Amino acid sequence: MARTAQALRRKAVARKPLPALLAFTDPQRTPDVEAMARALPRGTALVYRAFGAPDALAAARRLKAICRARGLILLIGADASLAARAGADGVHLPERLAHRAPALRRTYPHWLVTAAAHGPRATRVRADAVVVSAIFPSASPSAGKPIGTLRLAQVVRGAASPVYALGGINDKTARRLLSTGVIGIAAVESLRT
């Protein structure tokens, strides 16, 4: 899957350097995020989603140290304040907060700011990149109906920002993304240790 993501990255042109892979954490599906970070390919962005964990700052700081040592990018999910305090490289916004992306990009111009978008809504998001889901059938409890590669290609053509594909992506499905125009691949379980 990493090779396919790199091939996608070579095809795309972006305003900021963007990683080929985004690895999302999830308390249920990726319980050992530090082990996950240690196993990711160099250049990957790890999106740490704390979901209100009481030790989120300490965990984010440990992840930042691992990411720095391994050549990874650390994004914090939904919490710009936590991202700033942890010294993260940016933030990933859920769709409900995507409207904050332009202000965050102005406030933190060195940050990578990504946002979630579902299907056609990706055309309106003004972030460094958007993560569109679900592309293929997914086991994620939050995954909606998959849009498939043809619809994804349409979304990419109309999007205001570069697009990552998320949802049901694994070694078998990743190659089907090569002709869609996405900048890279995002995943949860298929990138865990």
Side-chain angles (χ1 to χ4, degrees):
M1 198 161 77
R3 280 192 295 270
T4 302
Q6 288 297 332
L8 291 168
R9 185 170 181 245
R10 283 191 296 271
K11 288 183 171 187
V13 176
R15 291 165 284 221
K16 280 185 184 176
L18 296 171
L21 287 171
L22 296 180
F24 284 83
T25 67
D26 179 274
Q28 303 303 316
R29 298 184 293 154
T30 59
D32 190 345
V33 293
E34 290 181 29
M36 180 182 181
R38 287 185 190 98
L40 291 171
R42 184 175 212 59
T44 298
L46 175 66
V47 182
Y48 172 56
R49 299 185 295 172
F51 294 115
D55 66 338
L57 180 57
R61 286 180 173 158
R62 285 191 308 273
L63 287 171
K64 178 60 185 173
I66 293 167
C67 288
R68 185 180 304 120
R70 298 212 10 83
L72 305 175
I73 298 164
L74 177 63
L75 304 181
I76 302 295
D79 192 339
S81 174
L82 176 59
R85 290 186 322 219
D89 303 301
V91 66
H92 173 78
L93 302 170
E95 188 171 47
R96 66 182 161 63
L97 300 177
H99 65 279
R100 295 183 181 171
L104 285 169
R105 290 172 73 198
R106 285 189 299 276
T107 304
Y108 302 100
H110 61 284
W111 273 11
L112 178 59
V113 178
T114 63
H118 300 282
R121 295 181 194 136
T123 60
R124 298 188 301 262
V125 176
R126 304 276 181 202
D128 292 316
V130 294
V131 179
V132 174
S133 68
I135 310 308
F136 304 111
S138 171
S140 171
S142 63
K145 182 180 175 187
I147 65 171
T149 56
L150 293 178
R151 182 71 181 120
L152 174 62
Q154 292 172 338
V155 169
V156 169
R157 282 193 299 275
S161 304
V163 174
Y164 285 91
L166 172 68
I169 300 171
N170 56 42
D171 287 330
K172 292 179 183 174
T173 60
R175 298 201 59 65
R176 294 173 50 196
L177 299 171
L178 288 171
S179 63
T180 63
V182 296
I183 185 81
I185 295 170
V188 180
E189 291 179 275
S190 59
L191 293 175
R192 69 180 179 185
T193 56

